[in-house]
Amino acid sequence: MFLTQPLHKGRREKARETAVVCGNHRLDFATLTDRVARLGAVLQQLGMARGDRVGMMSLNSHRFVEFFFGTWWGGGVINPVNIRWNPKEVAYSLDDCDTRILLVDDLFAPMAGELRKLSTSLRTVVYCGDGPVPEGMVGYEALLADAQPIDDAPHSADELAAIMYTGGTTGRPKGVMLTHGSLYINALSSVAAVPRETRNAAVVIAVPMFHVAGCGLSLQSILRLVPQHVVPMFDEVAILQAIQAARATEMFLVPTMIKRVIEHPRFAEFDLSSLQMLLYGAAPIDVALLEQAMAALPATSFSQAYGMTELSPTVAVLMPHFHLPGPDRNRLLRAAGTPVPVAEIRIVDGEDNELPPGQVGEIVARGPMVMKGYWNKPAETEAALRGGWMHTGDGGYMDEHGLLFVVDRMKDMIVSGGENVYSAEVENAIAQMPQVLMSAVIGVPDDKWGERVHAVIVRREGMPLTADDVIAHCRDQIANYKCPRSVEFRDALPLSAAGKLQKFQLREPFWAGKERRVG
């Protein structure tokens, strides 16, 4: 089981049928496979050895799809870079797993000079744009044109395929190690969990491809041998235009994207009648928004995916029939779903004892989609995978029918607009300010983002500090989406008798009266 296998099928069975569309670029399966085989050769020529990491920092594009499969074809491991990070965070992710080759598009090419100064591992920058090749880089298209296709590298299911960075509880991102087998089996399982028509199918990919969700959607499309229409970045009109132009049958959006699309002033101008399935996930959805979306798209089925990067990513699905009218509909729409075919889910207490239906504990999962571990972090790997189960850090319960409900977040993480933000990362940035005596970062409800990052700060006596000062400082240290959107100042923070910060007391007033303690 290896991730390039569907390309061989595509070249053999659907050679001249469309595989990828992005703007004016349209690749059939034969052309895509040829370019992938050439890219594998190019990366080897640039020094990629078996198992070496290759990064890409780019908006969504047809070249991002080629990056996935070309790296694997040549025997390498992908490290898709979060484009919302600042240069310091990007350099850390490159150096942490010794990524020596980085592909950049027009938007991120200007950052290459700073990355070279900050990173100790980066050696070669490949320009993936359509203009002149910047000084100090090599040109993607010229390299492909001069290369000869190579044979696909031999693979095994347990071979490392991807390192995808996610926030860290200690303030540093963790590299999640995913294998050919875990990504492949999760793609298969996700398709099986929500059966869809393949004939005449067309998938719009608008979520970032550096995320495991975007990568997974691309894999599923190739696996099913259906065309994927790639939207470079989130833009409401671009998405609506793509659905109409492609007669798209499926797409995936996070809740904040759904809200912006259906509330856009031009929404009614577009013919969306082809859209058969809207998948959503990456963050909890408000029932009112879900009902609003179903009313806006009455002919479209809805399905939710629940998971995390460490699970490749999907572990449970709320299938379309749970969204149908009925006496229990309001309760069902609050559910995360039932386990996908290859996954086991159970709810455990603090000693990992399984809890009965209806009782809240930590959600843990087991199956072939679970990560191999965290790159160079054996202690954190052992803690997360203890007993052979992935400990998600989410609090929830299962009902007597095996339906999963997520009610709280046990680990100190905020999900804002579908992006994971670990409080420690933000607190570490704030702690660098000399005016700050102590700080606590929590997630609070937000109508637009689901949750927003909120900082509670105790100032040092006699040292003035404003909310704007805090936010401006954080923007210089960490990605914008991680920065506080609101700040409050207090004389003290709640501490236990042992001196431990009690964040639940800070969160309680914001979440009081809400059935679910995550946004």
Side-chain angles (χ1 to χ4, degrees), residues 134-158:
E135 185 177 353
M137 303 184 195
V138 292
Y140 182 96
E141 291 297 338
L143 289 170
L144 251 63
D146 291 340
Q148 292 297 315
I150 60 171
D151 290 337
D152 195 359
H155 306 280
S156 62
D158 62 353

Side-chain angles (χ1 to χ4, degrees), residues 55-339:
M56 184 159 190
M57 193 173 188
S58 167
L59 298 179
N60 292 355
S61 71
H62 63 291
R63 295 186 182 110
F64 221 125
V65 182
E66 294 168 0
F67 158 71
F68 292 148
F69 290 94
T71 304
W72 295 327
W73 194 283
V77 176
I78 62 169
N79 173 17
V81 176
N82 189 325
I83 62 174
R84 301 182 69 181
W85 283 353
N86 67 26
K88 293 177 183 176
E89 293 168 307
V90 173
Y92 174 82
S93 72
L94 298 177
D95 291 347
D96 184 58
C97 65
D98 193 25
T99 300
R100 303 182 184 188
I101 302 172
L102 178 67
L103 284 62
V104 296
D105 67 359
D106 286 297
L107 188 61
F108 298 100
M111 194 187 291
E114 188 172 3
L115 290 177
R116 286 186 185 277
K117 294 176 184 177
L118 292 170
S119 170
T120 58
S121 61
L122 184 59
R123 299 287 184 272
T124 304
V125 179
V126 181
Y127 170 68
C128 295
D130 293 316
V133 179
E135 185 177 353
M137 303 184 195
V138 292
Y140 182 96
E141 291 297 338
L143 289 170
L144 251 63
D146 291 340
Q148 292 297 315
I150 60 171
D151 290 337
D152 195 359
H155 306 280
S156 62
D158 62 353
E159 179 184 352
L160 188 61
I163 298 178
M164 295 194 164
Y165 280 84
T166 185
T169 53
T170 59
R172 287 290 196 179
K174 305 189 297 286
V176 177
M177 297 188 291
L178 303 177
T179 65
H180 280 258
S182 65
L183 284 166
Y184 199 123
I185 199 70
N186 195 272
L188 280 172
S189 187
S190 298
V191 170
V194 188
R196 284 154 276 171
E197 176 63 57
T198 297
R199 190 178 47 146
N200 299 323
V203 180
V204 170
I205 298 181
V207 292
M209 298 180 86
F210 67 78
H211 271 187
V212 69
C215 176
L217 287 169
S218 183
L219 289 178
Q220 290 176 39
S221 301
I222 296 292
L223 182 68
R224 296 167 61 206
L225 303 184
V226 300
Q228 53 187 293
H229 295 257
V230 179
V231 178
M233 61 186 298
F234 177 75
D235 176 87
E236 299 93 331
V237 174
I239 288 172
L240 293 166
Q241 288 173 334
I243 296 171
Q244 178 174 277
R247 299 297 297 160
T249 58
E250 307 163 30
M251 74 177 310
F252 176 95
L253 295 175
V254 303
T256 53
M257 291 179 173
I258 294 175
K259 183 176 179 64
R260 289 175 57 181
V261 168
I262 64 175
E263 292 182 353
H264 193 274
R266 295 186 58 192
F267 177 78
E269 296 178 21
F270 295 89
D271 178 6
L272 309 180
S273 60
S274 63
L275 193 64
Q276 299 171 13
M277 176 69 67
L278 180 59
L279 299 151
Y280 62 95
I285 192 167
D286 183 81
V287 172
L289 172 59
L290 182 53
E291 290 179 334
Q292 181 187 359
M294 290 189 291
L297 295 165
T300 302
S301 296
F302 283 72
S303 182
Q304 177 177 226
Y306 164 75
M308 59 194 305
T309 305
E310 289 89 336
L311 296 172
S312 303
T314 305
V315 70
V317 167
L318 190 68
M319 293 175 283
H321 68 262
F322 287 110
H323 296 74
L324 298 177
D328 205 22
R329 184 188 190 192
N330 190 265
R331 183 184 76 90
L332 295 177
L333 291 183
R334 298 178 188 277
T338 54

